[in-house]
Amino acid sequence: MKRILLFICLVLSAVRFGQAQSLTVEYNIGHGSYQMSEMKDRLKDLALPVVNAQTTDKFPGYVTQDTRIGIEWKRNHAGVLFNYMNTAGKKGVADYSGHCNYELHNKGYKLGAFYRFRLTKEELGIFTFEPYVQLSSGVVLTRGKELYSLFIESAPESSNQSKNKYSGTNIFLEPTFGIKFGLCRNIALNLSVGYEWDAVKEDCQLGNQKSPLPVEVDWSGYRAQAGLVFYLNLKK
């Protein structure tokens, strides 16, 4: 986190001393896949007090949302980012006699910085074509819920449910290749594909407090995004 704050200070300094040509605000929406290997093992190995329980959700890929604020000068573009991800896993069974379900809901909040280098810039009539490479890094703050519920129609007094909250912090690196299509002086369409690698993963504590089970939440996976970049030109 200290490195991210230092990077923000450097960005603001560059703006102050006149190095920046544009201030940018960027919003992307996309799709991410998530490795979650230990979470999947947790679902696979968990024994529920019923027969025929099946794993129905195995932390599938889902929609991601990404916001970036940065400065652009010459072929360089750098700034800060905020990204939101979520996914879930579920194991259980339900029929006319009741249900038994175990669920893990994970939300990931990425905070970090990015550096983008433009490979070339080609003009296509009134539009521009700008392929680039990018490296993003920072932390992923995981906030999750572990839910268990049992309901028996013929013996409702035996029913029970529980909820446990858990959290953890990962450190990620994400190399990316993208293309910006300049639509006009102040707006560009952005397309990108990349891979997030969680290099450092902190264990989250599942189960009850008396006998917690440490499990990694691994957000590593492919990322594909599309969005818009808005420019505030700082120099004429």
Side-chain angles (χ1 to χ4, degrees):
M1 187 62 69
K2 291 182 179 179
R3 293 180 179 179
I4 295 173
L5 294 176
L6 177 60
F7 186 84
I8 294 173
C9 292
L10 291 175
V11 169
L12 294 176
S13 297
V15 173
R16 180 181 177 183
F17 289 107
Q19 298 300 315
Q21 294 173 325
S22 299
L23 175 68
T24 63
V25 178
E26 181 176 334
Y27 175 74
N28 299 289
I29 189 167
H31 185 272
S33 64
Y34 312 115
Q35 188 167 332
M36 300 289 174
S37 56
E38 290 195 9
M39 283 273 169
K40 292 176 181 178
D41 290 341
R42 169 66 171 165
L43 288 179
K44 179 181 177 181
D45 299 336
L46 180 69
L48 295 177
V50 293
V51 296
N52 300 324
Q54 300 291 327
T55 301
T56 54
D57 292 313
K58 299 180 180 180
F59 304 98
Y62 202 64
V63 173
T64 63
Q65 299 186 64
D66 179 85
T67 302
R68 298 170 187 253
I69 299 174
I71 57 171
E72 193 172 67
W73 72 101
K74 298 181 180 180
R75 301 175 69 174
N76 308 288
H77 191 180
V80 295
L81 66 90
F82 172 77
N83 185 288
Y84 172 73
M85 309 173 290
N86 73 94
T87 188
K90 182 177 180 180
K91 185 175 186 177
V93 62
D95 58 24
Y96 67 92
S97 63
H99 69 261
C100 182
N101 292 317
Y102 177 80
E103 301 176 51
L104 293 168
H105 294 265
N106 295 329
K107 294 182 179 181
Y109 303 89
K110 289 167 64 175
L111 302 171
F114 72 93
Y115 172 74
R116 184 179 293 172
F117 181 77
R118 188 180 71 217
L119 300 175
T120 186
K121 182 175 182 178
E122 301 292 339
E123 294 187 0
L124 303 173
I126 62 174
F127 307 110
T128 59
F129 172 81
E130 302 177 34
Y132 64 84
V133 291
Q134 173 183 278
L135 181 65
S136 304
S137 183
V139 297
V140 184
L141 307 177
T142 297
R143 299 294 181 266
K145 292 181 180 180
E146 182 182 23
L147 307 172
Y148 171 77
S149 64
L150 173 66
F151 176 74
I152 303 174
E153 182 73 32
S154 60
E157 68 280 0
S158 300
S159 303
N160 65 77
Q161 59 182 7
S162 63
K163 179 172 69 172
N164 170 49
K165 293 183 180 180
Y166 53 88
S167 62
T169 302
N170 295 359
I171 298 177
F172 77 92
L173 293 171
E174 184 178 333
T176 300
F177 174 78
I179 300 173
K180 286 194 300 184
F181 296 92
L183 305 179
C184 63
R185 186 182 181 190
N186 300 107
I187 302 176
L189 173 66
N190 182 58
L191 302 174
S192 66
V193 292
Y195 185 86
E196 177 185 330
W197 173 48
D198 284 10
V200 178
K201 298 176 282 292
E202 180 184 5
D203 287 338
C204 295
Q205 304 300 319
L206 303 185
N208 57 57
Q209 295 181 352
K210 295 182 179 180
S211 57
L213 175 67
V215 176
E216 291 179 350
V217 180
D218 190 354
W219 293 97
S220 300
Y222 291 97
R223 305 288 183 264
Q225 296 188 141
L228 293 174
V229 184
F230 300 92
Y231 294 88
L232 174 62
N233 295 299
L234 303 177
K235 291 185 177 181
K236 294 182 179 181

